[in-house]
Amino acid sequence: MRELSAPAKVLVALATALVTIPLLCSAAGSDTTFDDPGVAIDPAAAFGVPRRGGPAAVAKVVVIGIDGLLFDKADRRQAPRLRHLAAQGLLSRGSIAGHITVSGPSWASVLTGVWDTEHGVTGNDFDASPFRTHPSVFTRIERADPARHTVSIGTWHQIATIAASGDRRADVALTTTPDPRDSDEAVTDAATATEVVAAIERSGPDLVFTHLDQVDLAGHQHGGASRAYLAAIRRVDVLVGQIVAAVDRRAAGHPREQWSVLVTTDHGHLPTGGHGGQTPAETANFVIARGADFTPGITTSAYTLVDITPTVLDLLGAPPGRLDGHSLRMRPQPIDER
């Protein structure tokens, strides 16, 4: 091959630079966008305030399960709606140390009110048999009052395994069909939230449980200290805002209904990703309770995920039976005023 002259070499170098520099800037811009939460929002505008139902109020409950969420990472910059929701009610930041920090055991405890040592679920591969002896919250509600309308809509299929178990089952137990192109589960979670919003607005179920999975996936793929993990938190924060806004619209249009919103997670995540151990990052847990029965601005460490089912049963007037957890309507100890 004939060697280029010196002037030609200069022209080639300039052309290469003109192509390369924009590409590098574009890549840098993508990283910046990935890190940037974007325009600051007013979380108070995302949804309203909890309303007390009128005379002979009918209790309604929505439980939002966010898989693998470290609440420390969900600060006001990353999750303004979630933080605003917590400020409107009770926030408990506790630990599930001693419990298996895996999704199956934890969501089973959320939905039964007993620890893993009771229900016996030790991993993510389980069937409906444990819930014959330790009934789910759906079964307990339907036994107490078959006229109650109970709904489960989740991204993870095993939530439906629990909801559809027992002699009395959730009236609706849906798993969002995953899109194989949805590598971060953002589209799937958004579809889950859309269906939840539609259910609330359409029929006002007595209990809606939903499960959002993308934060946990980001933790596994990129680590709990990653930009991707924060980006997933920001996306889920938007979905939480949509669900709570639907609750408030429904409450405004149906004054006799008194709605409560509960939020929790199943486990935390290591900075490098993963869970299942007993480090503080893996056992960190939180519960939010927002509604007319919960005093705004209370923080405590008294409650964890096992207290969700007792709280739902208490709010809906269903007998709790023998459970490990306790209702969040009981006065927490210790209490700190925010």
Side-chain angles (χ1 to χ4, degrees):
M1 178 184 291
R2 188 175 63 181
E3 185 174 346
L4 294 173
S5 65
K9 289 180 179 178
V10 172
L11 289 174
V12 170
L14 286 172
T16 302
L18 289 171
V19 172
T20 305
I21 290 173
L23 290 173
L24 291 174
C25 290
S26 174
S30 297
D31 288 341
T32 302
T33 302
F34 198 58
D35 284 331
D36 187 5
V39 178
I41 67 137
D42 176 11
F47 42 81
V49 296
R51 300 168 59 98
R52 184 171 291 280
V58 178
K60 307 277 185 176
V61 184
V62 172
V63 181
I64 304 173
I66 306 174
D67 209 297
L69 175 60
L70 283 163
F71 197 74
D72 279 346
K73 299 289 186 179
D75 59 21
R76 293 186 186 277
R77 187 165 179 259
Q78 307 297 337
R81 299 165 187 83
L82 192 62
R83 287 288 178 162
H84 182 57
L85 187 71
Q88 289 186 329
L90 178 150
L91 170 63
S92 179
R93 301 180 64 181
S95 170
I96 55 170
H99 173 80
I100 302 171
T101 57
V102 173
S103 291
S106 289
W107 292 122
S109 290
V110 169
L111 291 171
T112 62
V114 299
W115 291 114
D116 54 350
T117 51
E118 286 291 319
H119 58 60
V121 176
T122 58
N124 291 337
D125 184 14
F126 59 89
D127 58 20
S129 58
F131 311 107
R132 287 197 287 267
T133 51
H134 297 283
S136 77
V137 63
F138 303 101
T139 298
R140 291 185 184 275
I141 291 168
E142 295 289 348
R143 283 177 179 174
D145 184 357
R148 291 280 197 182
H149 184 43
T150 56
V151 172
S152 170
I153 303 169
T155 294
W156 190 39
H157 71 282
Q158 288 288 51
I159 299 300
T161 299
I162 302 172
S165 68
D167 57 332
R168 297 278 187 174
R169 308 175 180 187
D171 295 304
V172 176
L174 298 178
T175 301
T176 304
T177 303
D179 186 331
R181 299 164 297 178
D182 185 21
S183 60
D184 58 9
E185 290 188 316
V187 173
T188 307
D189 271 357
T192 296
T194 296
E195 189 61 34
V196 170
V197 167
I200 293 168
E201 294 181 335
R202 182 172 57 240
S203 61
D206 298 291
L207 170 63
V208 179
F209 180 87
T210 188
H211 168 272
L212 304 171
D213 199 53
Q214 63 184 291
V215 174
D216 182 58
L217 181 64
H220 282 292
Q221 292 182 337
H222 306 282
S226 67
R227 300 192 311 268
Y229 188 77
L230 296 181
I233 291 173
R234 294 196 294 272
R235 293 191 299 267
V236 163
D237 184 63
V238 173
L239 303 182
V240 169
Q242 292 172 359
I243 293 169
V244 178
V247 166
D248 290 350
R249 288 193 300 272
R250 173 78 191 188
H254 298 77
R256 288 189 62 242
E257 296 178 359
Q258 183 168 299
W259 287 80
S260 299
V261 178
L262 310 178
V263 187
T264 194
T265 191
D266 54 343
H267 52 70
H269 255 289
L270 293 169
T272 53
H275 52 84
Q278 292 294 304
T279 68
E282 295 164 282
T283 60
N285 196 247
F286 76 92
V287 175
I288 295 170
R290 180 255 206 184
D293 291 282
F294 306 102
T295 304
I298 295 294
T299 60
T300 179
S301 59
Y303 299 117
T304 62
L305 57 82
V306 79
D307 301 306
I308 293 292
T309 281
T311 304
V312 173
L313 296 174
D314 184 19
L315 289 166
L316 296 182
R322 179 183 160 276
L323 302 177
D324 292 330
H326 304 280
S327 172
L328 275 70
R329 293 209 295 182
M330 296 172 60
R331 187 167 177 82
Q333 296 291 335
I335 293 179
D336 304 309
E337 299 291 343
R338 227 183 262 146

